[in-house]
């Protein structure tokens, strides 16, 4: 089978997912919406802010009165935040005003208290005349009505991943519910007769099932809802049963192992029969074998069994694919550009290598260095890594070269 390049392979996944129904929509409280995706635009009913207000503590003035300074003005009112100023300033008048308070009629600028001097007071804390020491122009220190969001503007577009600032914005807009896409329920199974559960003793030839728990927690970290479908033996009937049940109760499935060229790769046999699969050999290392397809309308990601390959394949294919299914408009990791802190040598093999690296900020330069053994079974180096350095085909990159790095969770 010919190797397909990564972008092409991912394109084949995303284009099929776009045609799927995606996850269901529901209404939740903003506090429960963090990490979920807005299912529809959130618009501002009223303008934000709802009135012209002061950005500072000071004096609301008519800019025409203070085109040159110093100038003395008569203080005719005090406007606190949360009150309705029932005054209109006439020429030569000003009002004491607090941050966030309504700018009174007649006023069109605010002078900071630091730029004024008390000339006369009616009593302690009640200014009567004030000297403005610095000239002002209309609009100074005024936060105009609607300058954050005019009425009817889209504050949160559909597809936005909701974060704490959006929760604040929803509160500002007076929303107590927000329409989101449900996190996709992602069923994860692992397969292999050599695998045992972590709590059990391992016998001859056995290893522990690392992938299932890793993939479940990768789903959690990505904001998906993980469903543990268990460790399944290399047995066609058992694999088929778990896949069918999983497809009926989950929004998507992830399998690990059994999709390469081995004699006991029954996942491949079963998926070949019950699913509409696209089997690929991707021009990347690790994670060359990869399959994507659907059982009915449930997408299935067939990830390779080697633990590092499973992890990288999740990052490169399942995470973007499941983000698209969840309605995210941004599906990919944003790469950062770093500098190779050591030689990242490799041989030409027609593949892009994703090297597990640790990033350090040294005098403002982001340096990437490998975290150790890069074999696809060597999970320790992946666990120690912050990112995947993208090393293109060729002889590799020398120390000091620019290198693109895809950050892993949690991104620093
Ligand atoms: P397979 O794709 O099933 O041929 O597996 C490839 C390699 O990954 C073999 O060395 C398997 O033992 C290993 N492997 C497969 N699944 C897992 C798993 N869930 N946890 C740890 N290693 C696995
Ligand atoms: Mg296997």
């Amino acid at each position: 089978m010919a190797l397909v390049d990564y972008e092409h392979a991912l394109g084949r996944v995303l284009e099929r997912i776009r045609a799927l129904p995606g996850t269901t929509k529901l209404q939740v409280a903003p506090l429960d919406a963090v990490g979920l995706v807005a299912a529809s635009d959130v618009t501002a009913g009223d303008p934000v802010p709802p009135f012209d207000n002061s950005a500072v503590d000071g004096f609301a003035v008519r800019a025409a009165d203070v085109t040159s300074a110093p100038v003395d003005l008569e203080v005719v009112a005090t406007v606190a935040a949360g009150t309705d100023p029932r005054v209109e300033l006439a020429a030569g008048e000003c009002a004491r005003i607090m941050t966030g308070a309504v700018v009174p009629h007649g006023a069109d600028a605010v002078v900071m208290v630091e730029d004024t001097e008390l000339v006369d007071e009616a009593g302690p804390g009640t200014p009567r005349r004030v000297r403005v020491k610095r000239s002002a122009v209309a609009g100074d220190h005024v936060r105009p009505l609607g300058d954050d969001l005019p009425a009817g503007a889209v504050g949160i577009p559909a597809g936005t991943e909701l974060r704490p600032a959006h929760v604040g914005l929803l509160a500002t807009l007076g929303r107590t519910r927000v329409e989101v896409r449900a996190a996709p329920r992602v069923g994860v199974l692992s397969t292999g007769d050599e695998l045992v559960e972590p709590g059990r003793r391992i016998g001859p030839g056995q290893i522990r099932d690392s992938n299932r728990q890793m993939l479940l927690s990768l789903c959690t970290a990505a904001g998906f809802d993980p469903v543990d479908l268990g460790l399944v033996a290399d047995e066609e009937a058992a694999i088929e049963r778990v896949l069918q049940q999983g497809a009926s109760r989950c929004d998507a499935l992830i399998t690990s192992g059994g999709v390469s060229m081995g004699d006991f790769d029954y996942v491949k046999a079963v998926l070949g029969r019950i699913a509409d699969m696209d089997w690929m050999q991707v021009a990347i290392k690790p994670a060359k074998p990869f399959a994507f397809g659907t059982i009915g309308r449930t997408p299935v990601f067939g990830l390779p069994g080697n633990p590092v390959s499973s992890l990288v394949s999740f990052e490169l294919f399942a995470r973007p694919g499941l983000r698209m299914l969840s309605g995210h408009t941004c599906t990919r990791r944003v790469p950062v550009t770093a500098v190779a802190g050591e030689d990242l040598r490799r041989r030409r093999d027609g593949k892009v290598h994703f090297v597990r690296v640790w990033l350090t900020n040294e005098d403002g330069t982001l340096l990437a260095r490998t975290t150790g053994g890069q074999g696809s079974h060597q999970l320790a180096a992946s666990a120690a890594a912050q990112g995947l350095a993208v090393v293109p085909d060729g002889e590799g990159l020398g120390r000091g070269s620019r290198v693109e790095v895809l950050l892993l969770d949690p991104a620093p």
Side-chain angles (χ1 to χ4, degrees):
M1 198 188 280
L3 293 183
V4 289
D5 71 59
Y6 168 59
E7 291 300 330
H8 185 76
L10 179 60
R12 271 154 69 170
V13 173
L14 297 183
E15 118 200 335
R16 286 182 71 180
I17 288 186
R18 208 170 282 134
L20 293 171
T23 52
T24 51
K25 297 177 180 180
L26 56 151
Q27 301 276 341
V28 297
L31 278 179
D32 297 326
V34 175
L36 296 174
V37 175
S40 48
D41 289 348
V42 179
T43 50
D46 300 317
V48 180
F51 47 86
D52 289 357
N53 67 95
S54 179
V56 295
D57 294 324
F59 292 88
V61 300
R62 298 157 56 100
D65 288 344
V66 292
T67 48
S68 62
V71 56
D72 290 0
L73 299 174
E74 187 184 347
V75 185
V76 296
T78 293
V79 198
T83 61
D84 184 6
R86 294 170 195 277
V87 291
E88 171 149 13
L89 301 188
E93 293 179 346
C94 69
R96 195 171 171 225
I97 192 166
M98 309 304 150
T99 304
V102 179
V103 175
H105 287 299
D108 57 3
V110 176
V111 177
M112 288 168 74
V113 74
E114 293 87 333
D115 292 330
T116 64
E117 196 174 275
L118 192 58
V119 177
D120 181 22
E121 54 186 349
T126 310
R128 183 156 35 206
R129 280 192 84 70
V130 75
R131 180 159 305 146
V132 174
K133 297 186 292 181
R134 183 193 282 232
S135 65
V137 296
D140 277 3
H141 303 300
V142 175
R143 305 191 283 211
L145 169 148
D147 87 329
D148 192 0
L149 287 173
V154 175
I156 305 175
T160 303
E161 180 172 343
L162 298 170
R163 290 173 288 104
H166 297 112
V167 174
L169 188 54
L170 286 162
T172 298
L173 297 174
R175 302 301 174 92
T176 56
R177 311 294 280 174
V178 57
E179 189 179 43
V180 293
R181 290 211 167 263
R185 288 168 55 76
V186 184
V188 177
L189 61 140
S190 50
T191 60
D193 281 345
E194 75 280 27
L195 303 177
V196 295
E197 295 283 4
R200 300 258 174 88
R201 287 171 69 93
I202 44 176
Q206 295 185 316
I207 58 167
R208 297 198 177 89
D209 174 8
S210 52
N211 296 356
R212 199 170 89 248
Q213 297 200 3
M214 175 175 70
L215 291 166
L216 288 165
S217 53
L218 281 166
C219 284
T220 304
F224 313 140
D225 187 3
V227 179
D228 188 355
L229 299 178
L231 165 57
V232 189
D234 282 325
E235 195 190 302
E236 283 205 34
I239 293 171
E240 176 165 351
R241 188 173 2 97
V242 174
L243 284 172
Q244 294 283 22
Q245 283 171 0
S248 65
R249 56 188 273 244
C250 299
D251 297 307
L253 299 178
I254 295 177
T255 68
S256 98
V259 293
S260 33
M261 304 298 194
D263 282 349
F264 304 100
D265 288 340
Y266 294 121
V267 177
K268 190 165 191 173
V270 172
L271 286 176
R273 207 155 22 78
I274 68 169
D276 175 11
M277 297 300 291
D278 182 1
W279 303 95
M280 298 178 230
Q281 296 287 315
V282 190
I284 57 175
K285 186 178 179 181
K288 180 174 69 157
F290 169 67
F292 176 75
T294 49
I295 299 176
R297 299 172 93 184
T298 309
V300 186
F301 296 85
L303 310 189
N306 276 305
V308 178
S309 305
S310 258
L311 172 76
V312 170
S313 196
F314 178 92
E315 278 296 319
L316 297 183
F317 295 108
R319 190 176 186 279
L322 292 167
R323 280 175 69 88
M324 176 155 281
L325 189 73
S326 340
H328 284 269
T329 44
C330 166
T331 55
R332 309 277 291 266
R333 294 276 196 200
V334 178
V336 295
T337 302
V339 170
E342 61 188 28
D343 286 347
L344 301 174
R345 292 292 169 209
R346 48 160 294 178
R347 290 209 207 112
R348 186 175 290 280
D349 59 5
K351 299 178 201 158
V352 175
H353 290 197
F354 291 88
V355 177
R356 277 72 72 202
V357 294
W358 180 256
L359 296 168
T360 49
N361 185 338
E362 289 174 30
D363 300 328
T365 303
L366 200 57
L367 293 180
R369 295 190 180 86
T370 63
T371 49
Q374 296 288 316
S376 60
H377 61 294
Q378 291 174 308
L379 197 51
S382 294
Q386 273 176 327
L388 302 173
V390 184
V391 182
D393 195 21
E395 308 302 316
L397 301 171
R399 182 169 168 238
S401 314
R402 284 160 73 91
V403 59
E404 201 168 87
V405 178
L406 305 176
L407 297 177
L408 301 170
D409 282 318

